[in-house]
Amino acid sequence: MPRRADLASLVDAVAGPLVVYGLAGDLVALNAGAEKLLQLSPEERTLPLTERLGLIDLETAGGQPLRMRDTPLSRALHGERAEEVIRLRRRGRAAWTWVSASAAPLREPGGELVGAVLSLTDVTELHDTQEALRRAVHEADEAAGELEALFEAAPTGLAFWDRDLRFVRLNRKLAEMNGLPLEAHLGKTPAELFRGISGVEEIMARWRGILETGEPVLGVEVRGETHAKPGEERIWREDFFPVRVDGEVVGVGGVVLEVTEQERAREALERMAAASREEARVRERILAVVSHDLRNPLSAILLGARQLASGSIAGAPRVQAAGSRIARAAERMRRMIGDLLDAAAIQGGRLSVRPRRAEPARLLEEAREAFQPVAEERWLSLEVRAEGGLPEVCCDHDRVLQALSNLLGNAVQLTRAGGRLTLAAARRDGGVELAVSDTGPGIPPEELPHLFQPYRRGKDVPYRGTGLGLAIVRGIAEAHGGRVRVESRLGEGTTFRLWLPAFGPACEQAGASP
């Protein structure tokens, strides 16, 4: 080993911390860097190696205590080169110093082991930087994982398109909305995938605007059909925004929310509100008609009653005529009030029927007999056509005659002189269908869906009325478990068909009798 003085000069010339040890672990030389790092007093430098190491806490890079025999110095003193990153601190202090310790054995020219050289490099700053980077990478990975989970679990459709407007990324929710596998979207434009969506090219033009201006486009409503539900129009609300990398717009992102049910509900509510307003308007108009029509017969009754009471009418024929006028007016009032009460009962689900067994042909014949005089007055033919062998039906006799009377009354009013009215009965769907046909002007197609609504009257109906007759017909049919439908052609006429169930055990249980 060189002389100590020469060795000290060589060690001091080294920039980094450097220590030379004798074979017994005694300190031979150390430079200023090592003195600063190890912070040993002159007295401590003379202590045996084991005691000197006992003044310092040593740990591996993994945070495990480093035993003396495993230190790079101890291994070098046994003739082995060793290098390891460790951390150390003076015992009792909080701050750790990370060092790269490199130790090599010292030998005489003849190869005899005489000591060791320990080089220490402070890597605390490097370690802290690496640790910060590791934490940042870990946090970034966690954030990316969270974003990925959010992307896939989002209840809305999410997608990214490149500058050529081709799918780059989308979540499974959007793929489900579109009815295509997720992979089938990639590399394709919406125009290539969704030819059933109206305005796709317009949407893509907006995306090009986003690429040019960098401004988002929000609240776009899109309607059309996709592979998920072919033939069914669906509605989406979509927001689009620019995707930037280092400040440059590299594509378009989108958030897609299906609002089909919400829009259908909103549209239905709007229709209901409009229908309610129309119904209120019609009701006010009908009530005005009703009040007017009630006032007329009431005036006739009052006039006739006053004439009778005053004695101004002399002679039996004139008294009889006045009584007839009063009776006709009272009957008109009775029918009108009855219609209002029946309509209210139907709307409240309280219309009562008392089913009995009845012959369809007989029901039609009774209706014909009631209207034959009126038909003859208006020069109309009225005939009955009933199939032979028809089963009996289960019905409330008076209610069914009321329904037939409402239908015949309308037919008589609408059919011109020389026209034809027909009452028919035929088997259908296990029951019997009663039909009332006329050769009148027919009903406009746009009015057919609203024909059975209460207080609705056709625009061109030439007579006044409450608008309740057909609503009552439907209510009577449904109260029997039946139905009513209408067929009409402009210029040819109209047919109303009232279906009633055949008589059977259910009707017997309801108390029907012959």
Side-chain angles (χ1 to χ4, degrees):
M1 180 180 292
R3 291 183 300 117
R4 285 183 180 268
D6 296 336
L7 191 58
S9 298
L10 290 172
V11 169
D12 285 338
V14 177
L18 186 70
V19 186
V20 179
Y21 292 89
L23 189 59
D26 53 308
L27 275 175
V28 176
L30 73 164
N31 64 4
E35 289 180 358
K36 182 179 179 182
L37 181 63
L38 299 176
Q39 298 179 353
L40 295 173
S41 66
E43 294 79 11
E44 292 170 341
R45 295 177 191 177
T46 63
L47 294 174
L49 178 61
T50 54
E51 294 184 27
R52 238 183 297 124
L53 290 179
L55 300 174
I56 301 173
D57 292 325
L58 296 173
E59 289 188 358
T60 66
Q64 299 298 318
L66 184 61
R67 295 176 297 181
M68 188 180 76
R69 68 171 180 268
D70 295 326
T71 64
L73 172 60
S74 180
R75 292 157 63 186
L77 290 173
H78 286 81
E80 177 186 351
R81 296 184 68 89
E83 184 175 356
E84 186 176 358
V85 174
I86 63 174
R87 66 176 187 170
L88 57 83
R89 68 180 176 185
R90 283 291 298 229
R91 184 155 294 176
R93 296 182 183 178
W96 289 91
T97 299
W98 287 83
V99 295
S100 175
S102 178
L106 273 176
R107 298 180 184 274
E108 291 287 0
E112 181 183 358
L113 182 65
V114 294
V117 177
L118 177 63
S119 172
L120 301 170
T121 303
D122 189 339
V123 294
T124 303
E125 185 175 343
L126 175 61
H127 174 272
D128 291 346
T129 301
Q130 291 175 336
E131 184 65 18
L133 180 60
R134 187 192 65 77
R135 286 196 301 267
V137 170
H138 178 70
E139 291 171 0
D141 288 342
E142 284 190 340
E146 291 171 357
L147 286 175
E148 180 68 20
L150 178 61
F151 189 82
E152 288 302 327
T156 58
L158 301 173
F160 298 103
W161 297 269
D162 61 19
R163 292 191 66 86
D164 294 325
L165 307 183
R166 300 184 182 278
F167 276 97
V168 175
R169 183 95 187 273
L170 71 158
N171 65 354
R172 298 199 176 276
K173 180 64 176 180
L174 185 58
E176 291 172 3
M177 288 184 186
N178 295 337
L180 290 172
L182 189 147
E183 295 76 14
H185 294 74
L186 302 180
K188 300 290 183 66
T189 68
E192 293 172 322
L193 293 173
F194 312 118
R195 304 184 186 278
I197 297 181
S198 60
V200 167
E201 292 295 341
E202 179 184 348
I203 293 169
M204 294 175 67
R206 294 192 183 194
W207 292 356
R208 295 185 185 97
I210 293 173
L211 294 173
E212 292 175 4
T213 66
E215 296 295 325
V217 176
L218 307 177
V220 179
E221 183 179 286
V222 180
R223 291 174 179 257
E225 61 181 78
T226 66
H227 302 280
K229 295 182 179 179
E232 178 181 332
E233 185 187 61
R234 302 165 72 195
I235 308 169
W236 301 270
R237 190 68 47 78
E238 304 185 356
D239 296 330
F240 304 111
F241 52 88
V243 177
R244 291 183 169 88
V245 174
D246 296 330
E248 180 184 355
V249 178
V250 297
V252 176
V255 179
V256 181
L257 177 65
E258 182 165 358
V259 294
T260 304
E261 297 303 322
Q262 296 91 320
E263 285 297 306
R264 294 282 185 267
R266 183 185 62 79
E267 292 169 359
L269 286 174
E270 289 179 354
R271 289 194 298 270
M272 290 173 61
S276 179
R277 290 191 296 270
E278 174 65 13
E279 186 175 334
R281 187 188 65 80
V282 172
R283 187 182 295 111
E284 289 177 0
R285 179 168 59 86
I286 295 303
L287 288 176
V289 172
V290 170
S291 63
H292 178 274
D293 287 358
L294 282 176
R295 190 178 296 114
N296 284 345
L298 183 59
S299 298
I301 291 172
L302 290 173
L303 176 61
R306 287 170 181 164
Q307 288 176 335
L308 291 174
S310 65
S312 60
I313 300 178
R318 296 183 65 187
V319 171
Q320 185 177 6
S324 297
R325 287 195 300 272
I326 291 174
R328 287 195 300 272
E331 178 60 22
R332 285 178 58 196
M333 291 180 65
R334 186 194 66 78
R335 287 198 304 269
M336 200 171 299
I337 293 171
D339 283 351
L340 291 171
L341 292 175
D342 286 344
I346 290 170
Q347 287 184 331
R350 302 185 306 273
L351 183 69
S352 62
V353 294
R354 294 163 57 177
R356 299 287 188 273
R357 61 198 304 176
E359 295 181 3
R362 182 57 189 161
L363 290 170
L364 297 184
E365 191 60 37
E366 289 187 40
R368 186 196 66 77
E369 292 173 359
F371 275 84
Q372 188 65 51
V374 179
E376 291 176 354
E377 285 180 8
R378 293 177 174 268
W379 297 89
L380 301 173
S381 68
L382 176 58
E383 59 182 355
V384 173
R385 297 177 181 175
E387 289 182 358
L390 289 174
E392 294 179 312
V393 293
C394 180
C395 70
D396 184 317
H397 174 274
D398 293 340
R399 287 295 190 187
V400 171
L401 280 182
Q402 180 185 0
L404 292 174
S405 296
N406 285 356
L407 297 174
L408 273 172
N410 290 345
V412 166
Q413 294 284 350
L414 292 170
T415 306
R416 293 183 178 180
R420 183 176 67 256
L421 307 178
T422 305
L423 292 167
R427 291 174 178 269
R428 181 178 292 275
D429 300 334
V432 175
E433 189 173 71
L434 308 180
V436 178
S437 303
D438 64 54
T439 56
I443 301 169
E446 65 271 13
E447 292 185 11
L448 292 175
H450 312 291
L451 208 59
F452 295 99
Q453 294 177 3
Y455 303 106
R456 294 294 292 244
R457 297 178 67 248
K459 296 179 181 178
D460 301 322
V461 173
Y463 59 90
R464 301 174 69 88
T466 61
L468 295 173
L470 293 180
I472 291 172
V473 171
R474 183 178 67 176
I476 291 173
E478 292 176 351
H480 284 84
R483 57 184 180 269
V484 64
R485 59 192 178 96
V486 60
E487 302 165 358
S488 185
R489 289 189 178 183
L490 289 176
E492 296 184 16
T494 301
T495 298
F496 286 89
R497 301 185 183 277
L498 172 63
W499 182 88
L500 295 172
F503 175 78
C507 194
E508 291 177 337
Q509 291 174 5
S513 59

